[in-house]
C-alpha cells in the first residue's frame, strides 16, 4: 500500500530572514513570514504538504537536504549567497531524487558578476529566477507538475 506523499521542503538560506526589512529595492517589501504564507496558500490549493525553513548555516541546510532525501521529498530552494559558493550544497542536492526547483527573488544574472555562477543550477531540475517572491509560488506549481513521486522530472 503506497504511503502518504512527503511534504515539499522549501529551504531558505542565509540572510533571507532579513527580507522586507532591508534592501527593499532589490528584494521587495514582503517578509519571510509573508513568503511562508504565500507558500502555505499555494500548497493548500495544490494539495501539497509543506515544510518551510530558513537557516543561516550551510551545514544545517545540508542536513535538511539529507532529510528531504531520506523521505523522498521535493526541494524548493533559495540558498541565498551559498548558491554562488557551495559545492557541498550542490553535492547534497545531486542526491535528491524528487524535483529540485531553485528560486531567486532577484535576477542573479543581471546583478554583480559573482552572482552569475550558480552551483545549484548545475543540479536543479529547474530554476525560477527574478520573479520576486511570486517565484516561490511558481516553483511550487512546477513541483506539482513534475512530481509523480517517481524519480526527478
Ligand atoms: O535573489 C535571491 O533570492 C538571492 O538568492 C538572495 C540572496 C543573494 O545573496 C543571492 O545572490 C540572490 C540574499 C538573501 C537576502 O539578503 C538580504 C539581505 C539584506 C536584506 C534583505 C535580504
Amino acid at each position: 500500500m503506497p504511503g502518504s506523499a512527503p511534504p515539499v521542503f522549501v529551504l531558505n538560506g542565509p540572510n533571507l530572514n532579513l527580507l522586507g526589512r532591508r534592501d527593499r529595492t532589490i528584494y521587495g517589501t514582503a517578509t519571510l513570514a509573508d513568503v511562508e504564507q504565500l507558500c502555505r496558500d499555494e500548497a493548500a490549493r495544490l494539495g501539497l504538504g509543506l515544510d518551510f525553513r530558513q537557516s543561516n548555516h550551510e551545514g544545517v541546510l545540508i542536513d535538511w537536504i539529507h532529510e528531504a532525501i531520506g523521505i523522498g521529498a521535493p526541494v524548493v530552494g533559495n540558498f541565498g549567497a551559498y548558491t554562488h559558493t557551495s559545492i557541498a550544497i550542490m553535492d547534497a542536492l545531486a542526491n535528491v531524487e524528487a524535483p529540485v526547483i531553485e528560486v531567486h527573488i532577484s535576477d542573479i544574472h543581471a546583478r554583480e558578476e559573482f552572482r552569475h555562477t550558480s552551483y545549484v543550477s548545475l543540479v536543479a531540475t529547474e530554476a525560477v529566477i527574478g520573479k520576486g517572491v511570486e517565484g516561490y509560488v511558481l516553483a511550487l506549481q512546477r513541483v506539482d507538475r513534475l512530481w509523480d513521486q517517481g524519480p526527478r522530472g
Side-chain angles (χ1 to χ4, degrees), residues 67-87:
E67 203 179 316
I69 292 167
I71 60 171
V75 173
V76 168
N78 183 350
F79 295 98
Y82 286 141
T83 302
H84 318 299
T85 62
S86 180
I87 294 168

mmCIF file of all heavy atoms in Angstrom, residues 67-87:
data_model
loop_
_atom_site.group_PDB
_atom_site.id
_atom_site.type_symbol
_atom_site.label_atom_id
_atom_site.label_comp_id
_atom_site.label_asym_id
_atom_site.label_seq_id
_atom_site.Cartn_x
_atom_site.Cartn_y
_atom_site.Cartn_z
ATOM 1 N N GLU A 67 17.572 15.204 4.953
ATOM 2 C CA GLU A 67 16.255 14.816 5.494
ATOM 3 C C GLU A 67 15.250 14.649 4.346
ATOM 4 O O GLU A 67 14.480 13.679 4.317
ATOM 5 C CB GLU A 67 15.803 15.913 6.457
ATOM 6 C CG GLU A 67 14.795 15.475 7.488
ATOM 7 C CD GLU A 67 14.421 16.639 8.406
ATOM 8 O OE1 GLU A 67 15.317 17.406 8.858
ATOM 9 O OE2 GLU A 67 13.223 16.782 8.662
ATOM 10 N N ALA A 68 15.280 15.598 3.388
ATOM 11 C CA ALA A 68 14.391 15.513 2.218
ATOM 12 C C ALA A 68 14.691 14.239 1.428
ATOM 13 O O ALA A 68 13.773 13.520 1.012
ATOM 14 C CB ALA A 68 14.545 16.749 1.337
ATOM 15 N N ILE A 69 15.989 13.947 1.241
ATOM 16 C CA ILE A 69 16.383 12.730 0.508
ATOM 17 C C ILE A 69 15.812 11.500 1.216
ATOM 18 O O ILE A 69 15.263 10.593 0.584
ATOM 19 C CB ILE A 69 17.923 12.635 0.403
ATOM 20 C CG1 ILE A 69 18.466 13.740 -0.502
ATOM 21 C CG2 ILE A 69 18.357 11.252 -0.092
ATOM 22 C CD1 ILE A 69 19.981 13.926 -0.430
ATOM 23 N N GLY A 70 15.927 11.503 2.551
ATOM 24 C CA GLY A 70 15.501 10.342 3.346
ATOM 25 C C GLY A 70 14.030 10.011 3.220
ATOM 26 O O GLY A 70 13.636 8.852 3.354
ATOM 27 N N ILE A 71 13.213 11.028 2.945
ATOM 28 C CA ILE A 71 11.762 10.772 2.844
ATOM 29 C C ILE A 71 11.238 10.968 1.420
ATOM 30 O O ILE A 71 10.029 10.955 1.189
ATOM 31 C CB ILE A 71 10.953 11.637 3.845
ATOM 32 C CG1 ILE A 71 11.159 13.122 3.587
ATOM 33 C CG2 ILE A 71 11.322 11.259 5.287
ATOM 34 C CD1 ILE A 71 10.202 13.999 4.403
ATOM 35 N N GLY A 72 12.159 11.176 0.466
ATOM 36 C CA GLY A 72 11.740 11.304 -0.939
ATOM 37 C C GLY A 72 11.015 12.597 -1.244
ATOM 38 O O GLY A 72 10.176 12.653 -2.159
ATOM 39 N N ALA A 73 11.344 13.658 -0.494
ATOM 40 C CA ALA A 73 10.623 14.929 -0.670
ATOM 41 C C ALA A 73 11.269 15.795 -1.752
ATOM 42 O O ALA A 73 12.496 15.833 -1.874
ATOM 43 C CB ALA A 73 10.608 15.705 0.650
ATOM 44 N N PRO A 74 10.445 16.542 -2.514
ATOM 45 C CA PRO A 74 10.986 17.545 -3.432
ATOM 46 C C PRO A 74 11.536 18.736 -2.654
ATOM 47 O O PRO A 74 11.114 18.980 -1.517
ATOM 48 C CB PRO A 74 9.782 17.986 -4.264
ATOM 49 C CG PRO A 74 8.621 17.202 -3.798
ATOM 50 C CD PRO A 74 8.979 16.508 -2.526
ATOM 51 N N VAL A 75 12.426 19.474 -3.289
ATOM 52 C CA VAL A 75 13.028 20.645 -2.635
ATOM 53 C C VAL A 75 12.826 21.875 -3.513
ATOM 54 O O VAL A 75 13.168 21.865 -4.697
ATOM 55 C CB VAL A 75 14.539 20.429 -2.393
ATOM 56 C CG1 VAL A 75 15.192 21.702 -1.864
ATOM 57 C CG2 VAL A 75 14.767 19.258 -1.421
ATOM 58 N N VAL A 76 12.251 22.912 -2.912
ATOM 59 C CA VAL A 76 12.262 24.254 -3.498
ATOM 60 C C VAL A 76 13.288 25.012 -2.676
ATOM 61 O O VAL A 76 13.145 25.137 -1.457
ATOM 62 C CB VAL A 76 10.867 24.918 -3.408
ATOM 63 C CG1 VAL A 76 10.946 26.403 -3.753
ATOM 64 C CG2 VAL A 76 9.872 24.197 -4.324
ATOM 65 N N GLY A 77 14.354 25.491 -3.304
ATOM 66 C CA GLY A 77 15.449 26.060 -2.514
ATOM 67 C C GLY A 77 15.914 27.414 -2.999
ATOM 68 O O GLY A 77 16.214 27.582 -4.184
ATOM 69 N N ASN A 78 15.953 28.354 -2.056
ATOM 70 C CA ASN A 78 16.670 29.605 -2.282
ATOM 71 C C ASN A 78 17.821 29.587 -1.284
ATOM 72 O O ASN A 78 17.625 29.898 -0.101
ATOM 73 C CB ASN A 78 15.764 30.824 -2.062
ATOM 74 C CG ASN A 78 16.499 32.118 -2.359
ATOM 75 O OD1 ASN A 78 17.711 32.135 -2.544
ATOM 76 N ND2 ASN A 78 15.747 33.222 -2.388
ATOM 77 N N PHE A 79 18.983 29.199 -1.750
ATOM 78 C CA PHE A 79 20.124 29.019 -0.848
ATOM 79 C C PHE A 79 20.939 30.300 -0.681
ATOM 80 O O PHE A 79 22.054 30.268 -0.153
ATOM 81 C CB PHE A 79 20.975 27.832 -1.316
ATOM 82 C CG PHE A 79 20.218 26.537 -1.221
ATOM 83 C CD1 PHE A 79 19.599 25.988 -2.334
ATOM 84 C CD2 PHE A 79 20.052 25.917 0.008
ATOM 85 C CE1 PHE A 79 18.842 24.827 -2.241
ATOM 86 C CE2 PHE A 79 19.298 24.751 0.122
ATOM 87 C CZ PHE A 79 18.690 24.206 -1.003
ATOM 88 N N GLY A 80 20.357 31.444 -1.079
ATOM 89 C CA GLY A 80 20.997 32.733 -0.877
ATOM 90 C C GLY A 80 22.395 32.741 -1.476
ATOM 91 O O GLY A 80 22.636 32.155 -2.543
ATOM 92 N N ALA A 81 23.328 33.371 -0.793
ATOM 93 C CA ALA A 81 24.681 33.513 -1.340
ATOM 94 C C ALA A 81 25.417 32.177 -1.435
ATOM 95 O O ALA A 81 26.383 32.055 -2.204
ATOM 96 C CB ALA A 81 25.473 34.499 -0.497
ATOM 97 N N TYR A 82 24.979 31.146 -0.699
ATOM 98 C CA TYR A 82 25.609 29.817 -0.835
ATOM 99 C C TYR A 82 25.426 29.262 -2.249
ATOM 100 O O TYR A 82 26.181 28.391 -2.689
ATOM 101 C CB TYR A 82 25.041 28.821 0.178
ATOM 102 C CG TYR A 82 25.509 29.043 1.595
ATOM 103 C CD1 TYR A 82 24.634 28.869 2.666
ATOM 104 C CD2 TYR A 82 26.824 29.409 1.875
ATOM 105 C CE1 TYR A 82 25.044 29.059 3.973
ATOM 106 C CE2 TYR A 82 27.240 29.607 3.180
ATOM 107 C CZ TYR A 82 26.352 29.431 4.223
ATOM 108 O OH TYR A 82 26.769 29.628 5.507
ATOM 109 N N THR A 83 24.395 29.764 -2.947
ATOM 110 C CA THR A 83 24.180 29.389 -4.352
ATOM 111 C C THR A 83 25.465 29.538 -5.159
ATOM 112 O O THR A 83 25.773 28.716 -6.028
ATOM 113 C CB THR A 83 23.136 30.356 -4.975
ATOM 114 O OG1 THR A 83 21.940 30.283 -4.209
ATOM 115 C CG2 THR A 83 22.873 30.056 -6.428
ATOM 116 N N HIS A 84 26.191 30.626 -4.859
ATOM 117 C CA HIS A 84 27.341 31.014 -5.682
ATOM 118 C C HIS A 84 28.663 30.425 -5.177
ATOM 119 O O HIS A 84 29.698 30.629 -5.799
ATOM 120 C CB HIS A 84 27.458 32.542 -5.709
ATOM 121 C CG HIS A 84 26.138 33.244 -5.856
ATOM 122 N ND1 HIS A 84 25.330 33.057 -6.955
ATOM 123 C CD2 HIS A 84 25.463 34.089 -5.036
ATOM 124 C CE1 HIS A 84 24.231 33.781 -6.800
ATOM 125 N NE2 HIS A 84 24.282 34.410 -5.641
ATOM 126 N N THR A 85 28.603 29.724 -4.042
ATOM 127 C CA THR A 85 29.861 29.276 -3.410
ATOM 128 C C THR A 85 29.887 27.802 -3.015
ATOM 129 O O THR A 85 30.969 27.242 -2.856
ATOM 130 C CB THR A 85 30.138 30.073 -2.115
ATOM 131 O OG1 THR A 85 29.076 29.818 -1.185
ATOM 132 C CG2 THR A 85 30.241 31.565 -2.382
ATOM 133 N N SER A 86 28.711 27.202 -2.797
ATOM 134 C CA SER A 86 28.707 25.942 -2.044
ATOM 135 C C SER A 86 28.632 24.679 -2.913
ATOM 136 O O SER A 86 27.543 24.252 -3.337
ATOM 137 C CB SER A 86 27.561 25.913 -1.028
ATOM 138 O OG SER A 86 27.591 24.683 -0.338
ATOM 139 N N ILE A 87 29.790 24.082 -3.111
ATOM 140 C CA ILE A 87 29.828 22.777 -3.784
ATOM 141 C C ILE A 87 29.200 21.729 -2.873
ATOM 142 O O ILE A 87 28.597 20.756 -3.336
ATOM 143 C CB ILE A 87 31.289 22.435 -4.147
ATOM 144 C CG1 ILE A 87 31.793 23.435 -5.202
ATOM 145 C CG2 ILE A 87 31.425 21.001 -4.679
ATOM 146 C CD1 ILE A 87 33.284 23.388 -5.445
#
